[in-house]
Amino acid sequence: MAYDYEKSIRPGKLPHIWCPGCGHGIVMKGLIRAMDTCGLDRKNTAIVSGIGCASRLPGYLDACTLHTAHGRAAAFATGVKMAKPEMTVICCGGDGDGTAIGGNHFIHACRRNIDMTYVLMNNFIYGMTGGQFSPCTPTGAKASTTPYGNPDPIFDISKLAIGAGATFVARTTAAHPREIDKLIVQGIQHKGMSIIEVLDDCPTTYGRRNKFRSVVDMMKHLKANAVPIKAAAKMTAEQLQGKFLTGVLFHDTEKPEYCAQYAEVIKKAQGA
Amino acid sequence: MSGARLEIIERNCKGCSICVEFCPKNVLEMDVFLVTAPRPEDCIKCMQCELLCPDFAIKVHDE
Ligand SMILES: Cc1ncc(C[n+]2csc(CCOP(=O)(O)OP(=O)(O)O)c2C)c(N)n1
Ligand code: SF4
Ligand code: SF4
Ligand code: SF4
Ligand SMILES: [Mg+2]
């Protein structure tokens, strides 16, 4: 019945720093369950993040964790994986960290198809620094830096990942907790770059500016507008307006994985 | 088989009320900024509260 999360959390770390209702805690639970399901050895698992509220996640977990520079999770994780290909490597971070300052690292890690799993918590905003708009803030939404509404079009993170070359791309939301671990498990099991985008809530800097009266309103919004990819196939473009597709959006098992490719280079260079 | 023991870790609860709103059986209630479980006998152990609590503050035990 009750799940034992505490065995995976560093002693004395709870309560965590996230605001009341912040979805990052729900994602952390999903990640813990997924790591348990995969039977990961914590000494052989690296969890890497950049900077932001979402990027605080690895610090709570009892594993090999790296809290690095803003936007650089994928770069550090690539270094870990290249040096120790036998390790399971997981990245965690936010939409700002992964697609604004870290967008370049993100797309190139996807392009290389290096074997890691990136859990990207997209709460549509820079939460940590007070609610500035990110590349994922919906057009028209209010942020501290877009008081008249955001004029920018958004990045669709999952489409960006697929376009850049990631080979397992999936999306769910903080309001679908069981799907979070299900998809992370598939991501970890996939050999190549796996992106799990979790649409998340930041009641403090996004919700309250955008007519969500409470965190519950935000959670209901995430629940109501998620459409599983199979169901979407039967819907019209009009019906899909304002909805987000969830589930496994892309899975390619053909493209070579980067560490395996690089091992070949090493062999050649050593004259084998 | 009826009811459950709902353990509330008061130190962790931040009073967001997600568990209260998503419980399908109205088992839980807010006491200002802290969740309480006044109707544990109605619990169907669907686990929604435990899964959705961002703060590791509620656990559903078999009883
Ligand atoms: C080089 C650098 N630039 C800017 C910052 C300030 N900064 C810290 S977190 C952050 C945004 C984080 O947003 P996101 O990744 O979406 O995480 P969230 O807080 O929303 O979970 C920014 C801009 C920084 N720490 N370092
Ligand atoms: S500011 Fe937003 S993202 Fe950061 S902890 Fe608070 S709710 Fe979560
Ligand atoms: S397990 Fe389900 S029914 Fe029981 S208290 Fe939690 S949400 Fe309500
Ligand atoms: S979801 Fe968790 S933190 Fe929020 S009120 Fe319920 S027990 Fe407390
Ligand atoms: Mg963010």
Side-chain angles (χ1 to χ4, degrees):
Chain A
M1 252 308 86
Y3 200 91
D4 184 7
Y5 294 102
E6 289 73 10
K7 69 172 184 340
S8 306
I9 297 176
R10 292 190 172 131
K13 283 283 194 178
L14 294 179
H16 54 56
I17 54 141
W18 295 314
C19 303
C22 174
H24 297 342
I26 303 174
V27 180
M28 180 159 112
K29 284 175 141 171
L31 176 59
I32 291 172
R33 292 193 302 274
M35 289 168 63
D36 288 345
T37 303
C38 292
L40 298 186
D41 168 11
R42 276 149 219 278
K43 291 197 184 72
N44 205 30
T45 304
I47 311 177
V48 187
S49 68
I51 299 292
C53 297
S55 297
R56 296 292 294 260
L57 196 158
Y60 294 104
L61 298 179
D62 182 20
C64 305
T65 64
L66 273 176
H67 190 191
T68 74
H70 198 17
R72 272 57 183 173
F76 281 84
T78 298
V80 172
K81 187 71 187 176
M82 293 301 287
K84 289 189 166 290
E86 70 282 4
M87 280 190 104
T88 301
V89 178
I90 298 168
C91 288
C92 290
D95 49 317
D97 186 73
T99 70
I101 192 167
N104 209 3
H105 294 290
F106 181 81
I107 56 173
H108 291 292
C110 291
R111 173 175 63 84
R112 283 182 170 143
N113 194 34
I114 187 159
D115 184 25
M116 60 171 82
T117 303
Y118 197 131
V119 180
L120 203 150
M121 288 158 261
N122 177 6
N123 58 8
F124 318 110
I125 202 82
Y126 288 1
M128 178 168 268
T129 43
Q132 297 82 0
F133 73 119
S134 88
C136 301
T137 303
T139 310
K142 292 207 167 113
S144 61
T145 43
T146 61
Y148 303 103
N150 178 23
D152 287 20
I154 61 155
F155 259 156
D156 177 323
I157 295 176
S158 289
K159 278 190 186 159
L160 179 69
I162 296 167
T167 46
F168 182 87
V169 179
R171 186 194 281 126
T172 186
T173 87
H176 298 78
R178 289 190 201 276
E179 197 175 35
I180 298 176
D181 46 312
K182 194 178 117 195
L183 295 175
I184 297 176
V185 166
Q186 287 176 263
I188 291 171
Q189 288 168 348
H190 172 73
K191 195 135 188 72
M193 184 70 178
S194 304
I195 307 293
I196 318 296
E197 179 188 4
V198 185
L199 301 179
D200 202 347
D201 66 271
C202 170
T204 305
T205 79
Y206 183 76
R208 70 186 173 90
R209 282 199 180 88
N210 288 286
K211 298 199 178 115
F212 295 103
R213 282 175 35 248
S214 68
V215 63
V216 171
D217 284 352
M218 285 215 72
M219 294 290 283
K220 285 184 175 160
H221 167 79
L222 292 174
K223 208 172 168 117
N225 291 298
V227 178
I229 179 131
K230 280 199 186 109
K234 297 182 205 111
M235 289 166 69
T236 64
E238 204 171 49
Q239 289 169 319
L240 286 170
Q241 197 69 33
K243 306 281 182 199
F244 19 84
L245 303 189
T246 58
V248 179
L249 306 179
F250 184 73
H251 192 186
D252 167 12
T253 52
E254 302 288 308
K255 182 173 171 177
E257 190 277 326
Y258 190 70
C259 290
Q261 294 291 98
Y262 204 81
E264 293 301 316
V265 174
I266 293 171
K267 255 196 230 159
K268 274 189 203 152
Q270 290 174 342
Chain B
M1 190 197 80
S2 74
R5 182 167 64 83
L6 293 153
E7 179 191 357
I8 290 155
I9 299 114
E10 296 189 1
R11 207 178 105 79
N12 289 353
C13 175
K14 293 182 188 152
C16 68
S17 83
I18 289 176
C19 58
V20 175
E21 296 286 336
F22 283 89
C23 170
K25 287 290 176 186
N26 195 28
V27 172
L28 310 168
E29 226 167 72
M30 292 311 294
D31 176 10
V32 196
F33 290 121
L34 189 66
V35 74
T36 58
R39 288 171 290 278
E41 65 282 3
D42 293 342
C43 174
I44 54 166
K45 301 175 199 165
C46 69
M47 307 305 284
Q48 281 300 303
C49 55
E50 187 180 308
L51 286 162
L52 286 171
C53 171
D55 282 280
F56 302 82
I58 186 163
K59 283 176 180 283
V60 185
H61 296 281
D62 259 323
E63 201 79 325

